[in-house]
Amino acid sequence: MNGIEFLASFLRTGRPHGIGIGSTLGEVDRAVRHRFVDVVDDEGRSLRRDYGFVEFYFNFTPGGAWVMSGGSVELHRLASGPDMAEEWALTTGVEFPRYVAWEAVRDELVRVPGAPELHVGDQGGFLEYRAAASDVSVIVVDDEEEERGYHVGHGDVWSVSLWAPVRAS
């Protein structure tokens, strides 16, 4: 699978590699077999699992389990470190290009059955495309002066994030 197809699926489902909000650490370990670094906060209640340009976030529950609360695919890191994408492809089978144009992801998303509606917001130099149905947001560089090179350029995806929704009680 290529990275563009992966991102379109992620936007539609909110479940990268079949895991998502509420998945346990064990489920993540079974789904993603890639080297990582764990960073636990001082209180031992939150965990960030860093796979390079992909990160998942966990909270420690009163029942004694780590449960996923969010995640992020930091695509901007690939502009300066394309070797991360090569390593990821070897362990996950998903091949990401050095730069990911939002237009390519959007074009793929329209081909995906059940594509979510996207709400656009200005983030000061970035645009945020938020899919409330899947709890995923895409941050895209919106500065005409930004050119591709060691960094992503205008129209490129900066990151794709999964976030736990705040539900009204």
Side-chain angles (χ1 to χ4, degrees), residues 2-140:
N2 72 47
I4 305 301
E5 294 164 337
F6 172 83
L7 293 172
S9 173
F10 181 12
L11 267 160
R12 186 182 69 76
T13 65
R15 300 191 60 81
H17 299 292
I19 53 177
I21 301 297
S23 292
T24 65
L25 196 56
E27 290 168 331
V28 172
D29 286 342
R30 287 186 293 280
V32 181
R33 298 191 181 276
H34 189 80
R35 64 183 179 82
F36 59 85
V37 173
D38 281 342
V39 180
V40 179
D41 75 332
D42 291 338
E43 292 82 34
R45 292 183 296 206
S46 67
L47 164 71
R48 177 175 56 89
R49 176 159 286 179
D50 187 341
Y51 296 92
F53 73 101
V54 175
E55 296 180 348
F56 295 122
Y57 314 111
F58 299 85
N59 292 325
F60 197 70
T61 65
W66 289 107
V67 176
M68 186 187 293
S69 60
S72 184
V73 181
E74 301 291 335
L75 293 161
H76 63 94
R77 292 183 184 171
L78 297 179
S80 61
D83 54 318
M84 286 188 273
E86 292 170 14
E87 292 175 21
W88 190 256
L90 288 173
T91 59
T92 67
V94 179
E95 297 180 21
F96 282 94
R98 183 173 178 191
Y99 308 101
V100 175
W102 169 240
E103 184 177 337
V105 175
R106 192 180 57 229
D107 289 350
E108 181 64 29
L109 189 59
V110 298
R111 289 189 275 278
V112 173
E117 180 180 350
L118 299 174
H119 302 278
V120 183
D122 186 350
Q123 297 292 324
F126 297 91
L127 292 175
E128 177 185 33
Y129 294 85
R130 188 172 268 229
S134 60
D135 302 323
V136 175
S137 64
V138 179
I139 302 296
V140 177

